[in-house]
């Protein structure tokens, strides 16, 4: 029952993408390509993007360990809780952020800051799970992570590459859950190298020869009564082989970017991750997560957060600029967040502890109206004084931007319907 | 010589002793073999209609690999296959099953299975690092000494103490000691009843209601898990709070390090209020305890009531699960969703088997012996039936669990595995260097999930297609594995036969022989051709399934 429903939805998505492709070819041939304005590589990228429903994509930049809002997006220079962190002006008059983020400040016109995020979950793994799935972990239902839900709704199942890629790993980030392993993220740990096990160990000719032999031998097993198993395995191997041998695998090779571009993103592993994310989306990947870790600053918060900021600031700004320059920002939502915030009071070790009651997140692209701040915290940063935004509200908002129906229901293994997002409301001002 | 050939040979010497033992079991009300015959009779007379007939029994090679993977979690070696093939005694299948059940690997295999049952549903990730190994050690010991299932279940429900030292704390640790989550898992695992569906609202099609869920949770309010950094390495203790004082409930980070005297059912209209005080009542029988009862008695009594012979769900849940793992399909599916409102494909058979299991004192090995002696178990495998076909016409191919596939690869390719040292002070990432654990991260799955929902992933396929350890493992120039076969056998046909035995525990069919020999001729390079054949065999659908 569950299976057949799933297959139907796959067919439906297929149909949409087929129609989309036709529309695209007509549109392009009439305008851009005919006028000679679209280069071949732009064509590739455009076509790949069109294969996704509405061309929408999402990049989630995850700051694992929970970044201090006081040292990033919600500084409090006039209060003791703010510590020694200074503020800087941004490209948008009236919006100030911590001086740890000078590059980000320059692209504030593309960013919508939410300073009134809040939840009740202050344990890393559970809070991370909550932010990724919208639910707290339970033993009975394995909730899909956002990337899995979005991919299931938007991605073309016949796409060469995995539609959901996670760069680096994060604790509690969840996976395909009840949607099944085919919606698990494709994980690559090092953005500067090809993903594990995607480099063939023989010549391509020999590889094909082996696959042919495998197919012939599997037939014998099928004839003994295991047709279904052989058929499923065959599909999987076709997909894996298609991916490994696909020219699109060059999407994973950031060395193909110009030196100027690579320099713009900076030197950190997160820089490589952001650049890879942009390449992947350009090639048609629907959802990319880039993980940064170590934000759990229980001691020496100021010094450590400043250092951590310098590893993400330049690539984050470069990513938004690059997407914008390539005309991809409109269809690509970029979300920057961690699992909660940090305490207003600085502890005896110069650190800040866990604080889910008020923290910040940053949205850009995908129709988000940049250059604005939503929500406000009190002078001491301890409470929210305006427009609180809950986790479900944020996920509703992301779904809205991507054109995903948050009320879409999937069935758990014991037949319980699970909504993509349960409760919450779209924060409309984000798109104003 | 194969490890298991020694096992089987040793057994032949002991056959006399075994016969005495088997005879003494036969005198009990339900000998496994009489029970097996009755089960087949019940299935044949009541489940199967006249238009569909069951398939025949599997051949020896299929049965051998199936029994090995099912009981000890490892494939038979080439020597095991030959020894079994050459044995012409009529009861060799029974003898084999008994020998496998007596092997230490039996306990380990099923301990790993239950590790996955418990840990895949964890809400506390640290349970993996802290409980995984000790849980397997604990269960392996219990299974190998054939402790009754009731004793093991009781230990899980009543556990206290250091989670690194006591494997039976794993269920509570995996749920952070939270009463509702522990309750849900106790009910799901030991009763096969998903009563947590009633946690938030009454379910229109279920007999159990929300109040009954919270009355069950009222057996567990006094426990919690508490971090303990006093020893050499950080750990957690399952602690009990029998103090009558209500401590400040939740700090801002939602951690719960201390139990509370009683359980309250939350008020759905006012979640921040204290909720309704709940008395401990066991929903199946209505047995209850007064408020204020100490934790030891609460959990002790609940365990007693759950494992009592008068509670049919305890034995049915276990029997349904083990039957499903062995025969390929449960009486109830999903295997942990039983109850009066669910459909059972053959209630008489399940009742009969569950009754036998109960009357034999929840004897685990009795159950394996019985199921594996049935024709239903011993039939050939066919892909899962359509739902309009009757059940149990055939066994069903089962995708290997991560551990089974890992051991199969090691054995097929003669891989050298260095077992990591158990160092200390490496924190939760210590386990990640264990190659088995790494492999399980890719290939493991929650064994409670319906098997039709468990598909393979691209990442799994890529690992066996292109993994560097596979490329090394199939290299014809190695001194072990394929390399050894090629050097020992000048004739390609012999190499092919040995290779099939090693990888698939059977000889090649005529068609396969033809295909492979033609391939060798076409490639024109012996080493290269055999590397390719080995690659194809370990990537084959048959290799990752047990039939």
């Amino acid at each position: 029952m569950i299976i057949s429903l799933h297959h139907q939805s796959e067919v439906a998505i297929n149909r949409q993408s087929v129609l989309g492709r036709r529309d695209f070819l007509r549109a392009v041939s009439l305008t851009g390509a005919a006028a000679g304005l679209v280069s071949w590589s732009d064509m590739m990228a455009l076509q790949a993007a069109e294969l996704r429903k509405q061309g929408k994509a999402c990049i989630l930049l995850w700051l694992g360990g929970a970044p201090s809002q006081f040292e990033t997006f919600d500084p409090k220079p006039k209060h003791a809780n703010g510590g020694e962190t200074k503020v800087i002006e941004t490209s948008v008059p009236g919006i100030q952020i911590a001086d740890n983020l000078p590059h980000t400040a320059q692209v504030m016109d593309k960013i919508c800051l939410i300073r009134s995020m809040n939840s009740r979950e202050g344990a890393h793994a559970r809070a991370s799970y909550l932010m990724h799935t919208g639910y707290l972990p339970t033993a009975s239902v394995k909730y899909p992570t956002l990337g899995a839900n979005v991919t299931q709704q938007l991605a073309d199942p016949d796409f060469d590459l995995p539609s959901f890629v996670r760069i680096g790993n994060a604790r509690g980030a969840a996976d395909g859950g009840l949607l099944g392993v085919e919606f698990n993220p494709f994980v690559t740990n090092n953005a500067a190298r090809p993903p594990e096990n995607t480099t063939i160990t023989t010549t391509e000719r020999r590889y094909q020869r082996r696959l042919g032999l495998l197919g012939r031998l599997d037939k014998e097993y099928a004839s003994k009564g295991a047709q279904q198993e052989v058929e499923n395995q065959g599909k999987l191997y076709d997909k894996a082989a298609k991916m490994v041998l696909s020219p699109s695998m060059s999407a994973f090779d950031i060395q193909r970017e110009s030196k100027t571009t690579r320099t713009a993103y900076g030197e950190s592993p997160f820089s490589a991750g952001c650049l890879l994310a942009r390449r992947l989306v350009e090639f048609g990947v629907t959802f990319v997560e880039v993980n940064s870790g170590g934000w759990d600053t229980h001691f020496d918060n100021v010094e450590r957060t400043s250092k951590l900021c310098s590893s993400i600031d330049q690539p984050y700004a470069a990513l938004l600029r690059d997407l914008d320059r390539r005309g991809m920002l409109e269809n690509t939502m970029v979300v920057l967040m961690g699992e909660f915030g940090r305490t207003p009071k600085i502890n005896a070790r110069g650190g800040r502890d866990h604080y889910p009651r008020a923290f910040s997140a940053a949205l850009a692209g995908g129709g988000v109206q940049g250059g604005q701040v939503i929500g406000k915290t009190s002078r001491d940063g301890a409470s929210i004084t305006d427009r609180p935004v809950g986790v479900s509200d944020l996920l509703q908002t992301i779904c809205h931007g991507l054109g995903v129906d948050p009320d879409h229901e999937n069935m758990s293994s014991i037949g319980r319907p699970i909504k993509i997002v349960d409760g919450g409301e779209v924060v409309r001002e984000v798109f104003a | 010589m194969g490890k298991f050939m020694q096992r089987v040979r040793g057994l032949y010497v002991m056959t006399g002793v075994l016969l005495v033992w088997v005879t003494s079991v036969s005198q009990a009300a339900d000998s496994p073999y009489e029970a097996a015959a009755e089960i087949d009779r019940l299935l044949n007379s009541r489940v199967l209609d006249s238009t569909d007939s069951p398939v025949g029994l599997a051949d020896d090679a299929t049965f051998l690999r199936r029994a090995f993977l099912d009981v000890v979690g490892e494939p038979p070696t080439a020597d095991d296959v030959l020894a079994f093939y050459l044995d012409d005694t009529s009861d060799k299948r029974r003898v084999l099953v008994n020998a496998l059940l007596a092997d230490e690997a039996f306990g380990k295999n099923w301990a790993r299975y239950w590790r996955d049952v418990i840990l895949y549903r964890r809400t506390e990730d640290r349970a993996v690092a802290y409980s995984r190994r000790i849980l397997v050690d604990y269960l392996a010991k219990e299974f190998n000494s054939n402790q009754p299932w009731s004793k093991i279940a009781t230990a899980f429900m009543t556990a206290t103490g250091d989670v690194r030292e006591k494997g039976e704390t794993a269920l509570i640790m995996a749920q952070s000691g939270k009463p509702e989550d522990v309750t849900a898992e106790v009910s799901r695992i030991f009763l096969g009843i998903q009563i947590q569906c009633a946690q938030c609202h009454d379910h229109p099609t279920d007999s159990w209601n929300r109040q009954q869920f919270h009355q069950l949770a009222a057996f567990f309010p006094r426990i919690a898990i508490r971090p303990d950094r006093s020893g050499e390495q950080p750990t957690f203790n399952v602690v009990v709070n029998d103090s009558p004082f209500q401590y400040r409930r939740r700090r801002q980070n939602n951690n719960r390090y201390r139990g509370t005297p009683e359980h309250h059912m939350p008020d759905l209209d006012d979640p921040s209020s204290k909720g309704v005080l709940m008395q401990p009542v066991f929903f199946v029988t209505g047995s209850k305890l007064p408020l204020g009862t100490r934790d030891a008695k609460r959990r002790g009594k609940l365990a007693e009531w759950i494992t009592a012979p008068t509670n049919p769900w305890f034995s049915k849940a276990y029997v349904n699960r083990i039957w499903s793992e062995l025969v390929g399909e449960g009486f109830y599916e999903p295997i942990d969703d039983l109850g009066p409102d669910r459909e059972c494909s053959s209630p008489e058979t399940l009742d009969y088997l569950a009754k036998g299991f109960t009357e034999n004192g929840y004897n685990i090995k009795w159950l394996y012996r019985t199921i594996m002696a049935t024709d239903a178990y011993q039939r050939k495998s066919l892909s899962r039936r359509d739902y309009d076909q009757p059940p149990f016409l055939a066994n069903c191919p089962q995708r290997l669990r991560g551990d089974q596939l890992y051991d199969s690869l090691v054995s097929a390719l003669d891989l050298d595995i260095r077992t990591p040292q158990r160092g200390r002070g490496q924190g939760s990432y210590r386990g990640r260097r264990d190659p088995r654990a790494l492999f399980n991260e890719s290939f493991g799955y929650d064994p409670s999930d319906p098997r039709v929902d468990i598909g393979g992933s691209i990442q799994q396929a890529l690992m066996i297609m292109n993994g560097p350890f596979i490329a090394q493992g199939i290299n014809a120039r190695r001194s072990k594995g394929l390399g050894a076969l090629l050097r020992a056998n000048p004739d390609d046909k012999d190499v092919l036969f040995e290779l099939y035995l090693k990888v698939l525990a059977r000889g090649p069919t005529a068609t396969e022989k033809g295909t492979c020999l033609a391939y060798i001729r076409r490639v024109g390079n012996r080493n290269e051709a055999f590397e390719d054949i080995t690659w194809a065999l370990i990537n084959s659908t048959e290799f990752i399934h047990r039939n």
Side-chain angles (χ1 to χ4, degrees):
Chain A
M1 184 60 184
I2 298 167
I3 286 296
S4 69
L5 278 175
H6 174 63
H7 280 257
Q8 278 169 12
S9 67
E10 274 192 358
V11 171
I13 290 169
N14 263 329
R15 283 205 192 106
Q16 272 160 354
S17 68
V18 168
L19 286 175
R21 194 179 317 170
R22 248 181 244 140
D23 289 347
F24 161 80
L25 288 174
R26 195 168 43 227
V28 168
S29 63
L30 286 176
T31 57
L37 293 173
V38 183
S39 74
W40 184 81
S41 64
D42 287 344
M43 283 271 291
M44 283 281 290
L46 273 168
Q47 186 169 5
E50 187 53 38
L51 290 176
R52 294 186 305 253
K53 193 170 138 197
Q54 302 160 345
K56 297 280 188 189
C58 183
I59 298 173
L60 171 60
L61 308 175
W62 181 257
L63 310 184
S68 165
Q69 67 278 26
F70 294 94
E71 275 67 39
T72 54
F73 292 117
D74 197 8
K76 299 287 177 188
K78 291 175 191 151
H79 194 279
N81 286 349
E84 59 204 77
T85 299
K86 298 193 173 46
V87 298
I88 47 169
E89 297 297 331
T90 67
S91 62
V92 180
I95 301 181
Q96 296 180 322
I97 59 174
D99 66 354
N100 290 318
L101 300 168
H103 291 89
T104 305
Q106 290 170 29
V107 292
M108 189 51 70
D109 53 301
K110 306 186 201 312
I111 298 172
C112 169
L113 275 187
I114 301 176
R115 283 178 173 157
S116 52
M117 287 300 307
N118 67 92
S119 87
R120 296 177 57 183
E121 198 51 55
H124 290 292
R126 289 167 62 83
S128 171
Y129 188 92
L130 175 68
M131 293 296 280
H132 281 86
T133 66
Y135 296 87
L136 283 172
T138 67
S140 52
V141 180
K142 282 175 273 185
Y143 298 101
T145 192
L146 180 65
N149 275 321
V150 169
T151 306
Q152 188 217 25
Q153 293 297 304
L154 300 184
D156 174 4
D158 292 333
F159 182 49
D160 284 13
L161 301 181
S163 289
F164 175 19
V165 177
R166 178 174 286 167
I167 303 168
N169 228 325
R171 204 167 139 195
D175 56 18
L178 59 90
L179 299 181
V181 284
E182 65 264 45
F183 293 103
N184 281 353
F186 183 84
V187 180
T188 176
N189 285 313
N190 186 343
R193 282 211 304 259
E196 277 185 0
N197 304 325
T198 56
T199 313
I200 58 173
T201 51
T202 62
T203 60
E204 191 177 326
R205 200 173 140 258
R206 190 172 171 198
Y207 198 69
Q208 298 281 17
R209 200 173 72 193
R210 280 181 175 182
L211 288 167
L213 178 65
L214 171 59
R216 288 197 292 283
L217 294 179
D218 252 2
K219 264 194 203 140
E220 180 83 354
Y221 180 54
S223 74
K224 287 193 236 162
Q227 296 93 335
Q228 198 55 54
E229 284 73 15
V230 169
E231 196 181 306
N232 291 343
Q233 183 81 345
K235 277 188 211 153
L236 191 67
Y237 268 66
D238 286 349
K239 195 160 178 179
K242 187 170 141 198
M243 170 182 157
V244 168
L245 300 173
S246 164
S248 298
M249 279 304 284
S250 64
F252 284 98
D253 185 3
I254 57 170
Q255 304 306 324
R256 292 177 184 237
E257 292 290 325
S258 71
K259 190 140 193 294
T260 325
T261 307
R262 278 185 284 149
T263 313
Y265 276 77
E267 303 275 307
S268 72
F270 193 77
S271 305
C274 285
L275 180 52
L276 178 56
R278 194 225 78 215
R279 278 186 70 83
L280 291 172
V281 169
E282 199 170 24
F283 273 80
V285 174
T286 301
F287 200 101
V288 186
E289 288 177 9
V290 187
N291 289 292
S292 162
W295 294 83
D296 195 17
T297 51
H298 286 285
F299 56 92
D300 299 339
N301 170 59
V302 167
E303 192 188 320
R304 287 172 62 201
T305 305
S306 159
K307 209 167 158 198
L308 286 158
C309 281
S310 68
S311 73
I312 64 146
D313 177 41
Q314 187 183 343
Y316 176 48
L319 175 65
L320 297 187
R321 279 210 186 95
D322 200 9
L323 288 170
D324 195 18
R325 197 173 56 80
R326 289 165 191 262
M328 294 163 64
L329 192 58
E330 204 178 313
N331 279 328
T332 309
M333 188 182 274
V334 182
V335 182
L336 177 74
M337 64 184 183
E339 61 264 42
F340 41 73
R342 307 207 70 88
T343 42
K345 200 170 172 311
I346 298 165
N347 69 25
R349 298 167 303 283
R352 297 187 191 266
D353 303 319
H354 302 179
Y355 200 70
R357 282 171 57 190
F359 59 103
S360 303
L363 303 178
V368 167
Q369 176 68 52
Q372 60 165 337
V373 175
I374 288 168
K376 201 187 259 179
T377 53
S378 54
R379 248 174 52 81
D380 60 359
S383 56
I384 292 167
T385 54
D386 181 40
R387 189 54 172 110
V389 176
V391 177
S392 298
D393 301 327
L394 179 71
L395 294 174
Q396 287 269 358
T397 307
I398 295 170
C399 284
H400 180 83
L402 296 172
V404 167
D405 175 12
D407 292 328
H408 175 85
E409 287 180 345
N410 294 296
M411 286 292 166
S412 81
S413 62
I414 54 166
R416 192 175 135 201
I418 306 292
K419 286 184 177 175
I420 290 181
V421 188
D422 194 16
E425 277 177 21
V426 177
V427 183
R428 298 276 164 192
E429 312 90 282
V430 166
F431 303 100
Chain B
M1 185 194 289
K3 184 176 162 197
F4 296 107
M5 188 171 162
Q6 293 168 8
R7 189 182 279 160
V8 173
R9 278 200 182 154
L11 197 91
Y12 288 151
V13 180
M14 285 175 56
T15 305
V17 184
L18 258 172
L19 274 178
V20 175
W21 183 83
V22 168
T23 317
S24 70
V25 172
S26 311
Q27 286 158 356
D30 280 325
S31 100
Y33 309 118
E34 284 169 23
E38 176 61 12
I39 286 162
D40 284 322
R41 196 190 64 75
L42 284 168
L43 286 177
N44 285 325
S45 63
R46 305 195 195 176
V47 177
L48 312 176
D49 72 34
S50 53
T51 56
D52 291 280
S53 51
V55 300
L57 298 189
D59 60 27
D60 276 349
T62 305
F63 178 83
L64 183 74
R65 182 167 181 263
R66 179 187 296 173
F68 264 77
L69 287 167
D70 284 348
V71 180
V72 295
E74 301 165 21
T77 64
D79 287 345
D80 295 322
V81 180
L82 295 177
F84 193 66
Y85 179 75
L86 293 173
D87 183 348
D88 55 5
T89 54
S90 62
D91 62 346
K92 67 176 176 181
R93 291 192 179 192
R94 283 182 192 179
V95 171
L96 173 81
V97 169
N98 284 328
L100 293 173
L101 285 171
D103 194 285
E104 295 284 305
F106 159 70
K108 191 122 196 172
N109 176 39
W110 285 91
R112 287 176 173 145
Y113 172 88
W114 286 96
R115 170 202 67 199
D116 290 347
V117 170
I118 291 169
L119 292 182
Y120 266 97
R121 300 286 172 108
R122 68 185 180 272
T123 55
E124 170 55 78
D125 273 346
R126 283 169 291 188
V128 176
Y130 291 13
S131 301
R132 189 183 65 206
R133 286 205 185 93
I134 191 73
L135 172 59
V136 170
D137 292 350
Y138 162 74
L139 278 174
K141 209 165 119 256
E142 298 296 278
F143 289 149
N144 281 330
S145 57
N146 203 23
Q147 299 300 316
W149 181 238
S150 51
K151 181 191 163 214
I152 298 169
T154 299
F156 277 111
M157 287 184 265
T158 59
T160 55
D162 188 337
V163 303
R164 281 190 191 268
E165 314 252 307
K166 293 171 133 185
E168 65 270 30
T169 56
L171 192 157
I172 293 172
M173 176 66 192
Q175 304 305 328
S176 287
K178 298 195 182 202
E180 282 103 338
D181 293 338
V182 172
T183 302
E185 281 295 89
V186 162
S187 181
R188 179 182 78 89
I189 294 173
F190 299 120
L191 297 169
I193 292 174
Q194 307 258 355
I195 194 175
Q196 83 286 350
C197 295
Q199 184 172 347
C200 307
H201 58 89
D202 291 344
H203 205 282
T205 58
D206 275 358
S207 317
W208 329 115
N209 62 34
R210 182 165 179 254
Q211 181 169 342
Q212 287 173 309
F213 171 80
H214 288 283
Q215 286 171 334
L216 188 63
F219 286 93
F220 297 98
R222 299 187 170 210
I223 57 166
I225 58 162
R226 189 182 298 165
D228 178 356
R229 294 183 172 271
S230 62
E232 282 184 1
Q233 48 186 0
T235 184
F236 281 88
N237 286 307
V238 174
V239 292
V240 169
N241 175 27
D242 271 323
S243 148
F245 302 109
Q246 179 90 41
Y247 284 82
R248 194 160 53 107
R249 262 222 60 168
R250 292 197 167 168
R251 300 191 309 182
Q252 64 193 18
N253 62 10
N254 227 357
N255 284 329
R256 179 183 179 276
Y257 291 149
R258 194 190 290 274
T260 49
E262 301 296 345
H263 178 69
H264 292 79
M265 176 167 74
D267 181 342
L268 294 175
D269 296 325
D270 183 8
S272 58
S273 74
K274 204 173 174 189
V276 185
L277 180 63
M278 285 285 127
Q279 186 185 354
V281 183
F282 178 42
F283 65 100
V284 173
T285 57
S287 310
K288 58 182 86 166
L289 288 173
L291 292 169
T293 306
R294 295 180 71 79
D295 172 74
K297 189 167 177 196
R298 273 184 210 234
R299 291 195 283 151
K301 276 286 167 195
L302 179 67
E304 192 184 310
W305 295 333
I306 282 182
T307 60
T310 46
N311 169 23
W313 301 110
F314 178 67
S315 59
K316 281 186 187 176
Y318 185 79
V319 167
N320 187 57
R321 186 182 278 276
I322 302 302
W323 174 274
S324 175
E325 292 302 337
L326 296 174
V327 181
E329 179 182 342
F331 298 103
Y332 287 97
E333 295 210 319
I335 54 175
D336 53 5
D337 193 9
L338 285 58
D341 312 302
R342 299 291 185 269
E343 200 185 326
C344 179
S345 62
S346 178
E348 309 85 0
T349 317
L350 177 59
D351 284 350
Y352 177 81
L353 193 50
K355 196 158 163 282
F357 180 55
T358 308
E359 283 172 1
N360 280 278
Y362 303 117
N363 181 330
I364 287 172
K365 291 192 184 181
W366 177 90
L367 186 66
Y368 284 93
R369 218 167 258 133
T370 303
I371 297 174
M372 294 178 78
T374 61
D375 288 351
Y377 174 77
Q378 298 199 10
R379 289 198 176 103
K380 286 180 201 151
S381 283
L382 290 183
S383 290
R384 189 161 282 268
R385 68 182 170 112
D386 293 330
Y387 278 92
D388 53 357
Q389 292 177 315
F392 312 125
L393 295 178
N395 203 309
C396 189
Q398 300 264 53
R399 175 178 280 272
L400 298 185
R401 285 179 285 114
D403 287 293
Q404 293 169 318
L405 187 57
Y406 178 81
D407 286 325
S408 297
L409 271 175
V410 170
S411 154
L413 300 178
D414 280 343
L415 295 178
D416 300 305
I417 300 296
R418 270 170 301 164
T419 319
Q421 300 289 310
R422 285 196 191 184
R424 48 193 170 86
Q426 303 276 333
S428 57
Y429 292 95
R430 184 75 195 102
R432 288 177 187 267
R433 292 189 200 152
D434 176 356
R436 176 187 293 277
L438 273 172
F439 193 80
N440 275 333
E441 272 179 30
S442 290
F443 285 91
Y445 58 79
D446 180 347
S448 305
D449 280 350
R451 291 301 145 87
V452 283
D453 293 353
I454 296 165
S457 72
I458 296 278
Q459 233 140 354
Q460 290 172 356
L462 292 175
M463 196 162 172
I464 305 191
M465 290 168 103
N466 309 325
F469 75 103
I470 298 287
Q472 286 156 21
I474 64 173
N475 192 322
R477 285 181 297 276
R478 278 176 74 216
S479 60
K480 290 172 151 188
L482 177 62
L485 291 185
L486 285 168
R487 270 187 302 281
N489 301 284
D491 188 333
D492 287 349
K493 287 195 209 74
D494 295 339
V495 179
L496 194 63
F497 182 75
E498 294 286 339
L499 191 61
Y500 262 83
L501 274 187
K502 210 167 165 52
V503 182
L504 297 177
R506 63 173 178 85
T509 64
T511 323
E512 287 164 339
K513 209 189 276 177
T515 305
C516 291
L517 292 175
Y519 186 85
I520 296 165
R521 276 194 304 276
R522 192 156 63 86
V523 171
N525 176 325
R526 190 175 190 236
N527 278 3
E528 206 178 296
F530 271 108
E531 284 177 355
D532 292 352
I533 292 170
T534 312
W535 182 93
L537 290 180
I538 60 165
N539 277 283
S540 69
T541 310
E542 182 173 352
F543 182 70
I544 65 160
H545 285 85
R546 85 80 166 124
N547 296 290

